[in-house]
Amino acid sequence: MARTTIHDIAKELHTTAATVSRALNDHPSISAATKETVKATALRLNYQHNRAASSLRSGKTYVIGVLIPSAEVSFFGSVIHGIEKIAKSQGYNVLLFQTNEQYEDEVQGVQTLLQSNVDGIIASISKETIQYDHFLEVKRRDIPLILFDRSLEGLDVPSVMINDYKGAFMATEHLIEQGFTRIAHISGPQHISIFHERLKGYVDALAAHGMKIDGDLIMYGKVTIDSGRTCAEQLLQLPSPPDAIFAAEDFTALGALQAIKESKWPKPGQIGLVGFANEAFSAYITPSLTTIDQQTALMGEEAAKIFMDLSQKGKKPDLPPQKIVLEPLLVQRESSIKRKPKKKSIP
Amino acid sequence: MARTTIHDIAKELHTTAATVSRALNDHPSISAATKETVKATALRLNYQHNRAASSLRSGKTYVIGVLIPSAEVSFFGSVIHGIEKIAKSQGYNVLLFQTNEQYEDEVQGVQTLLQSNVDGIIASISKETIQYDHFLEVKRRDIPLILFDRSLEGLDVPSVMINDYKGAFMATEHLIEQGFTRIAHISGPQHISIFHERLKGYVDALAAHGMKIDGDLIMYGKVTIDSGRTCAEQLLQLPSPPDAIFAAEDFTALGALQAIKESKWPKPGQIGLVGFANEAFSAYITPSLTTIDQQTALMGEEAAKIFMDLSQKGKKPDLPPQKIVLEPLLVQRESSIKRKPKKKSIP
DNA sequence: CTGAAAGCGCTTACAG
DNA sequence: CTGAAAGCGCTTACAG
């Protein structure tokens, strides 16, 4: 019933716990023969390494704390997936803490993870968070801290972001290449940097292709289905309406699609539409939505890899924190296909 | 730099670590005055409780191991959300391990969680798993094990499931109440119990309403979009086609919807459609899909609550393991609306 | 290549 | 109500 310890193994082999410990950890100064018998005996006695004891002594827990707003949001589920995958491959485990997008919970989360002696923390800050005092204790303890997707001004730590500017540029350019000539953009609140970046990408793509920027074609929405619908309705009622819409985000695009479907003109297929995020529904709506994929699982993997780097190097000469910027991916579907105008019988 | 320990606090207050430990843990035999000064000093010295040390001594880690196929699947993300929420409220944390639906990984996961001395394990077994030897060690160590969604024949442990039979019954009854009279069912592989249960619910609902069961109207699909499409195509080509379809799962329903849209008759809206699972896309397709919600977050919460019960009671007189069966929820949307036939001008 | 010994930071019966 | 002491199961400098 009682758990087997290294002492039990030592007793069995008439040796000491020190030797058993070294053998199990493949310490270089232990003979191959000893290692073999020790490991065989460990297996026979159904020995399980006790991590609590090990980490109390060594100071390492092989646990990465992951602090996210909510595991229920598919974006974060995907990132966790990537983190855990890499972590596991290096002998680490993932301890999860959800902040529910609340500052108070985030503060408590950092505390909890520190009490658990995590070897590092990978976090995406809550929407409420505007100051970072709670993260300073993490830095003070020299525990690697890596942020993903959402960063915090002033907190100088490694991070993994997606290139929003480029994603928007690609989305817009794709519509241009499809042959659309009046491309509108439904953006989001400009104080949120990702939406500002996406707007810039849109503007620059138009400019790069010698197209005029028309203020009438740029709407500022609220990142919801309803807002996307309202913005699109207004766009369609312009004296000179757009022939394509790039929405800053998939739910906005979905709303825009609803507006298009409800309008007399254009019909879906006569107006190009691109979203951003590659949400779970994007592939299945009608028409399926062309969008920008954010490589969410890869984001987690990269964050975990930065952690591995940091914890292996230990205290390297203070390099500036690594900032990884992931390439967005254009996912081409039906909503951005430009229908060739039917040949009119012109003599 | 070095972390504050209870010894530091003790030295500061000219008392002992034992007293400090007791004070911090609100031990009943410590005076209120002592508790107060100890806690104040702990705060002042920025003391952080060291869980590794605590659990090495006490045997409790306040960690629940969660073993799931993949955090990337939204169903599991939701369940984790529910588990972590309850866990946190009781001072527990969640250690995550993904099995990637593979037996080998699941075995390794159980090992890892045991090495981490988790106080309990909440798991959904991988699709590959057909035997449960790896879980026996968990039982042998008297660590609470709770399964959710997917159970394993013969492993007699507490579990949280959803009432698939009832969900299917509700879905079918809903179509009947809408006025549909020839209701087809696209099921899944019958060796998977959830699909078998859903088929039974369908059959019994028809019977309960005095409707005939027509073998032609029951298809056995493969739980994919394509399979749903193919099955629906065949149903629509019957000499006497159905006027409604209950699909055993949302992706199947989505495929069926595609088939309906591509057929000349019926148009969407002329044929009722209900799915099962309330996937992320279900609300956003056209028409929006009526479906059965599985209360995923609640499933996690209930599993966590069972754990709390088990770990508080300790070794109660051996009651049979608790089996919770959650009520499915009908989510009524557009796809099941029965259009009133337009009044023909009959003299 | 192996052993003896100390100690990581707590908790907890035992005494008083 | 508080203290002295042992010990949870490991790891690791130090010695040989």
Side-chain angles (χ1 to χ4, degrees):
Chain A
M1 209 69 227
R3 223 168 129 169
T4 307
T5 72
I6 53 172
H7 291 99
D8 299 326
I9 299 173
K11 201 172 288 175
E12 191 85 1
L13 297 175
H14 303 291
T15 178
T16 65
T19 300
V20 172
S21 172
R22 290 196 185 96
L24 291 174
N25 292 311
D26 268 330
H27 192 283
S29 71
I30 295 285
S31 75
T34 307
K35 282 182 187 172
E36 208 170 313
T37 46
V38 166
K39 285 179 184 174
T41 310
L43 213 58
R44 182 160 56 78
L45 299 182
N46 193 21
Y47 170 76
Q48 296 272 1
H49 181 242
N50 184 330
R51 291 201 185 204
S54 172
S55 62
L56 177 57
R57 182 59 231 254
S58 70
K60 286 207 69 171
T61 54
Y62 288 94
V63 171
I64 302 175
V66 173
L67 198 68
I68 52 163
S70 169
E72 208 169 9
V73 175
S74 68
F75 171 79
F76 292 113
S78 234
V79 177
I80 300 171
H81 174 78
I83 294 173
E84 203 270 344
K85 179 178 159 193
I86 299 298
K88 181 164 49 194
S89 75
Q90 305 292 321
Y92 284 81
N93 286 130
V94 164
L95 195 69
L96 187 70
F97 198 101
Q98 300 179 106
T99 65
N100 306 309
E101 299 282 12
Q102 284 169 0
Y103 174 73
E104 294 292 338
D105 289 26
E106 187 173 293
V107 173
Q108 201 213 316
V110 171
Q111 282 249 345
T112 304
L113 295 179
L114 287 178
Q115 289 186 352
S116 299
N117 302 315
V118 295
D119 289 345
I121 295 181
I122 298 178
S124 198
I125 56 168
S126 96
K127 280 182 189 160
E128 269 190 22
T129 302
I130 49 172
Q131 57 117 350
Y132 50 80
D133 283 4
H134 49 307
F135 284 119
L136 292 181
E137 176 69 12
V138 181
K139 288 186 93 172
R140 212 183 62 77
R141 281 227 232 148
D142 266 329
I143 294 172
L145 170 66
I146 298 111
L147 297 181
F148 68 87
D149 194 47
R150 304 178 188 170
S151 176
L152 203 52
E153 201 74 21
L155 191 62
D156 194 36
V157 297
S159 63
V160 187
M161 303 287 156
I162 202 227
N163 193 333
D164 286 289
Y165 171 84
K166 187 164 177 185
F169 194 103
M170 288 164 67
T172 310
E173 190 162 58
H174 167 66
L175 287 168
I176 296 170
E177 284 166 356
Q178 286 288 307
F180 295 105
T181 52
R182 271 184 71 70
I183 301 169
H185 178 46
I186 307 177
S187 186
Q190 291 303 298
H191 69 274
I192 302 181
S193 70
I194 59 173
F195 296 119
H196 191 65
E197 287 296 310
R198 291 175 195 177
L199 173 58
K200 280 200 331 205
Y202 157 80
V203 168
D204 285 4
L206 290 184
H209 287 265
M211 293 171 73
K212 251 200 303 208
I213 287 64
D214 182 344
D216 288 353
L217 295 181
I218 301 176
M219 305 287 296
Y220 298 93
K222 292 186 206 150
V223 199
T224 62
I225 297 177
D226 279 348
S227 165
R229 178 198 294 254
T230 312
C231 290
E233 280 167 0
Q234 293 181 34
L235 286 170
L236 295 178
Q237 279 163 19
L238 286 176
S240 174
D243 62 354
I245 298 175
F246 163 46
E249 171 271 341
D250 278 359
F251 285 97
T252 300
L254 181 63
L257 182 59
Q258 291 176 354
I260 293 167
K261 284 186 175 177
E262 285 160 14
S263 76
K264 303 256 161 64
W265 186 94
K267 292 289 167 211
Q270 294 178 315
I271 181 162
L273 183 64
V274 178
F276 202 114
N278 202 12
E279 294 284 349
F281 65 80
S282 311
Y284 305 124
I285 59 178
T286 311
S288 57
L289 182 66
T290 296
T291 188
I292 300 292
D293 187 274
Q294 306 190 72
Q295 307 210 68
T296 47
L298 183 61
M299 192 172 277
E301 292 178 26
E302 291 297 331
K305 282 179 187 164
I306 293 182
F307 164 75
M308 298 301 165
D309 278 1
L310 289 174
S311 61
Q312 273 170 21
K313 282 180 194 159
K315 311 198 80 184
K316 259 290 172 77
D318 281 311
L319 296 169
Q322 197 177 352
K323 310 269 183 189
I324 290 186
V325 178
L326 295 180
E327 290 299 298
L329 253 40
L330 177 71
V331 182
Q332 206 168 328
R333 299 205 184 96
E334 295 163 4
S335 70
S336 61
I337 295 170
K338 169 93 173 177
R339 290 215 193 140
K340 296 259 157 47
K342 296 245 172 77
K343 267 186 203 158
K344 297 261 169 81
S345 49
I346 300 169
Chain B
M1 209 70 225
R3 221 167 129 170
T4 307
T5 71
I6 52 172
H7 292 98
D8 299 325
I9 298 173
K11 201 170 292 175
E12 191 84 0
L13 297 175
H14 303 290
T15 177
T16 64
T19 301
V20 173
S21 172
R22 290 195 185 98
L24 290 173
N25 292 312
D26 269 329
H27 193 283
S29 73
I30 295 285
S31 75
T34 306
K35 282 181 187 172
E36 209 170 310
T37 47
V38 166
K39 284 179 183 174
T41 310
L43 214 58
R44 181 161 57 77
L45 298 183
N46 194 21
Y47 170 75
Q48 295 272 2
H49 182 242
N50 185 328
R51 292 200 184 205
S54 171
S55 63
L56 176 57
R57 181 58 230 254
S58 71
K60 284 206 72 170
T61 54
Y62 289 94
V63 171
I64 303 175
V66 173
L67 199 67
I68 52 164
S70 170
E72 208 168 10
V73 175
S74 68
F75 171 80
F76 292 113
S78 235
V79 177
I80 299 172
H81 174 79
I83 294 173
E84 203 269 344
K85 179 179 159 190
I86 298 299
K88 182 164 48 192
S89 76
Q90 306 290 321
Y92 285 81
N93 287 129
V94 164
L95 195 70
L96 188 70
F97 198 101
Q98 300 180 105
T99 64
N100 306 310
E101 298 283 13
Q102 283 169 0
Y103 173 73
E104 295 292 338
D105 290 25
E106 186 172 295
V107 174
Q108 201 213 317
V110 172
Q111 282 249 346
T112 304
L113 295 179
L114 287 178
Q115 289 186 352
S116 298
N117 302 314
V118 295
D119 289 344
I121 294 181
I122 298 177
S124 197
I125 57 169
S126 96
K127 280 182 189 159
E128 270 190 24
T129 303
I130 48 174
Q131 58 117 352
Y132 51 81
D133 284 2
H134 49 308
F135 285 119
L136 292 180
E137 176 69 12
V138 180
K139 289 186 93 170
R140 212 184 60 78
R141 282 227 231 147
D142 266 329
I143 293 172
L145 170 65
I146 298 111
L147 296 181
F148 68 87
D149 194 47
R150 304 178 188 171
S151 177
L152 203 52
E153 201 75 20
L155 190 61
D156 194 34
V157 297
S159 62
V160 186
M161 302 287 156
I162 202 228
N163 193 331
D164 286 289
Y165 171 85
K166 185 164 178 186
F169 194 102
M170 288 164 67
T172 310
E173 190 162 57
H174 167 67
L175 287 168
I176 296 169
E177 284 166 355
Q178 286 288 308
F180 295 105
T181 52
R182 270 185 72 70
I183 301 169
H185 179 46
I186 306 177
S187 186
Q190 292 303 299
H191 69 273
I192 302 182
S193 70
I194 59 173
F195 296 118
H196 191 65
E197 287 297 310
R198 293 176 194 177
L199 174 58
K200 278 200 332 206
Y202 158 81
V203 167
D204 285 6
L206 291 184
H209 287 264
M211 293 170 71
K212 249 197 305 203
I213 285 67
D214 182 344
D216 288 352
L217 295 182
I218 300 176
M219 306 287 294
Y220 298 92
K222 291 185 208 150
V223 199
T224 62
I225 296 177
D226 278 348
S227 167
R229 178 198 294 256
T230 313
C231 290
E233 278 165 2
Q234 292 181 36
L235 285 170
L236 295 178
Q237 280 163 17
L238 286 177
S240 173
D243 63 354
I245 298 175
F246 163 46
E249 172 269 341
D250 278 0
F251 285 97
T252 300
L254 181 62
L257 181 59
Q258 291 176 354
I260 293 167
K261 285 185 173 179
E262 285 159 15
S263 76
K264 303 258 162 62
W265 185 96
K267 291 291 166 208
Q270 295 178 315
I271 182 162
L273 183 63
V274 178
F276 203 114
N278 200 12
E279 293 283 349
F281 65 81
S282 311
Y284 306 124
I285 59 177
T286 310
S288 57
L289 183 65
T290 296
T291 187
I292 299 293
D293 187 273
Q294 306 189 73
Q295 307 210 65
T296 47
L298 183 62
M299 192 172 276
E301 292 177 27
E302 291 297 330
K305 282 178 186 164
I306 294 181
F307 163 76
M308 297 301 165
D309 277 3
L310 289 174
S311 59
Q312 272 168 23
K313 282 180 195 159
K315 311 197 78 183
K316 260 287 172 80
D318 281 311
L319 296 168
Q322 197 178 352
K323 311 267 184 192
I324 290 185
V325 179
L326 295 179
E327 290 298 298
L329 252 39
L330 176 72
V331 181
Q332 206 168 328
R333 299 207 183 96
E334 295 163 4
S335 70
S336 61
I337 295 170
K338 169 93 173 175
R339 290 213 193 141
K340 297 258 156 51
K342 296 243 174 76
K343 265 187 203 158
K344 295 261 169 83
S345 48
I346 301 169

